[in-house]
Amino acid sequence: MTEERPVPPGVDPNRPSAARIYDYAIGGKDNYAVDRQAAETVFAIAPEMRSMARQNREFLGRVVRFLAEEAGVRQFLDLGSGLPTQRNVHEVAREVDPACRVVYVDHDPIVARYGDALLATGDGVAFVQADLRAPDDYLGHPDLTRLIDFSEPVAVLMVAVLHFVPDEDRPADVVARLRDLMAPGSHLAISHVTSEFRPEEIGNIVAVSGKAGAPWVARDRAGIMRFFDGFDVVEPGLVTAPEWHPHLARPVDPGKMWVYAGLGRRG
Ligand SMILES: C[S@@+](CC[C@H](N)C(=O)[O-])C[C@H]1O[C@@H](n2cnc3c(N)ncnc32)[C@H](O)[C@@H]1O
């Protein structure tokens, strides 16, 4: 039997959370029975979701490495950062340049607890608990304004998060608001579950996730591409996660993959 983590204040261990389900899928320990059950329900419909979560995380590492090494970006705003795990953004970026600055944002109280303790390691790295749908709550936060200068190139990361934001919450408007702040040479990285390849299974997963209390929305290719309005999409374009800069990746089976990934650049 799995020994449960203590429950930090403000955290409801009886309601599944996207952050903890994802943590379980990528092999972490910061999750409760309700999250494991929700994840296993999804894996029963589509066992490949587990490896997709890992491949998504690997895309995150590759895109951060690319941004630091090849695009010369030194400041990162990671929206929907998730629980601290292996290869966190500041660790990857700082392998290229220890001066890289990172602000992590997530709305989940468990991420806030562990994020503050484990991600905000001091100089140049901060965690802000906020909802990405309310940009005023984080853009004006003193920890963000201390570390992120929008007059210089910045990378905004929205990796495996926009599929938790339904259209009625106007995610494209949030992205556009950030885009309009971003200096030339800034980048937007997105990964997103898509309904494009296996609509029936995805429909079932969306339905069970909604019922379990951790709803999400899968978008088609056009629905994901519209987040890149006003950006030039960097080669190889919007592709499945393991196909994005695979020369930087461990070899993976690109089949059975329903996560699109892409990187846009502000000209
Ligand atoms: C699947 S995890 C992805 C974590 C990380 N970006 C990665 O790809 O490895 C999604 C994260 O987004 C967070 N999230 C979902 N909706 C959010 C919102 N509206 N505002 C801020 N964070 C959100 C969840 O709490 C969760 O930690």
Side-chain angles (χ1 to χ4, degrees), residues 144-166:
L144 190 147
T145 54
R146 179 168 60 82
L147 295 178
I148 305 281
D149 174 1
F150 276 97
S151 69
E152 297 286 326
V154 61
V156 173
L157 312 175
M158 299 179 103
V159 175
V161 65
L162 286 169
H163 49 238
F164 298 113
V165 185

Side-chain angles (χ1 to χ4, degrees), residues 20-35:
R20 300 186 321 237
I21 292 171
Y22 181 70
D23 175 72
Y24 174 66
I26 62 173
K29 301 257 181 291
D30 297 321
N31 49 73
Y32 302 113
V34 72
D35 308 305

Side-chain angles (χ1 to χ4, degrees), residues 208-224:
V208 297
S209 303
K211 260 196 223 146
W216 44 279
V217 49
R219 294 188 169 91
D220 63 11
R221 187 183 174 81
I224 301 169

Side-chain angles (χ1 to χ4, degrees), residues 19 22 56-57 80-82 106-108 130-133 159-161 164:
Y22 181 70
N56 172 75
R57 187 74 192 177
S81 57
D106 202 289
H107 68 166
D108 190 319
D131 193 312
L132 74 86
R133 294 169 293 185
V159 175
V161 65
F164 298 113

Side-chain angles (χ1 to χ4, degrees), residues 9-262:
V11 171
D12 182 353
N14 299 313
R15 192 185 150 86
S17 107
R20 300 186 321 237
I21 292 171
Y22 181 70
D23 175 72
Y24 174 66
I26 62 173
K29 301 257 181 291
D30 297 321
N31 49 73
Y32 302 113
V34 72
D35 308 305
R36 298 189 285 275
Q37 202 178 355
E40 291 297 345
T41 307
V42 168
F43 300 155
I45 298 171
E48 50 274 69
M49 286 304 274
R50 195 190 291 269
S51 80
M52 279 185 240
R54 290 176 194 266
Q55 290 182 25
N56 172 75
R57 187 74 192 177
E58 289 175 12
F59 160 72
L60 173 63
R62 293 200 300 284
V63 80
V64 169
R65 177 112 207 157
F66 174 89
L67 285 161
E69 203 162 54
E70 300 194 33
V73 174
R74 291 294 175 266
Q75 39 177 10
F76 296 81
L77 175 57
D78 185 4
L79 298 174
S81 57
L83 279 153
T85 180
Q86 287 163 12
R87 309 281 297 147
N88 297 302
V89 169
H90 69 284
E91 292 160 347
V92 176
R94 287 179 163 194
E95 285 169 5
V96 178
D97 182 349
C100 285
R101 307 182 302 283
V102 179
V103 175
Y104 295 103
V105 175
D106 202 289
H107 68 166
D108 190 319
I110 198 163
V111 181
R113 289 281 154 181
Y114 291 117
D116 249 350
L118 297 174
L119 294 177
T121 47
D123 214 21
V125 186
F127 178 85
V128 175
Q129 184 181 359
D131 193 312
L132 74 86
R133 294 169 293 185
D136 290 331
D137 291 356
Y138 49 95
L139 289 175
H141 193 285
D143 281 336
L144 190 147
T145 54
R146 179 168 60 82
L147 295 178
I148 305 281
D149 174 1
F150 276 97
S151 69
E152 297 286 326
V154 61
V156 173
L157 312 175
M158 299 179 103
V159 175
V161 65
L162 286 169
H163 49 238
F164 298 113
V165 185
D167 286 345
E168 57 265 31
D169 291 348
R170 310 187 72 83
D173 289 356
V174 173
V175 174
R177 164 103 187 262
L178 295 164
R179 177 197 66 210
D180 292 345
L181 288 176
M182 290 160 76
S186 294
H187 289 74
L188 170 69
I190 290 177
S191 71
H192 197 300
V193 169
T194 182
S195 52
E196 201 70 42
F197 305 119
R198 304 260 292 272
E200 198 176 318
E201 283 98 328
I202 283 288
N204 290 341
I205 291 170
V206 168
V208 297
S209 303
K211 260 196 223 146
W216 44 279
V217 49
R219 294 188 169 91
D220 63 11
R221 187 183 174 81
I224 301 169
M225 273 307 283
R226 91 194 144 113
F227 294 125
F228 288 112
D229 280 356
F231 292 89
D232 300 322
V233 178
V234 171
E235 287 297 319
L238 187 68
V239 292
T240 63
E243 293 174 301
W244 198 89
H245 287 237
H247 64 286
L248 295 174
R250 289 197 277 123
V252 286
D253 174 5
K256 300 186 175 177
M257 169 49 61
W258 322 333
V259 178
Y260 269 135

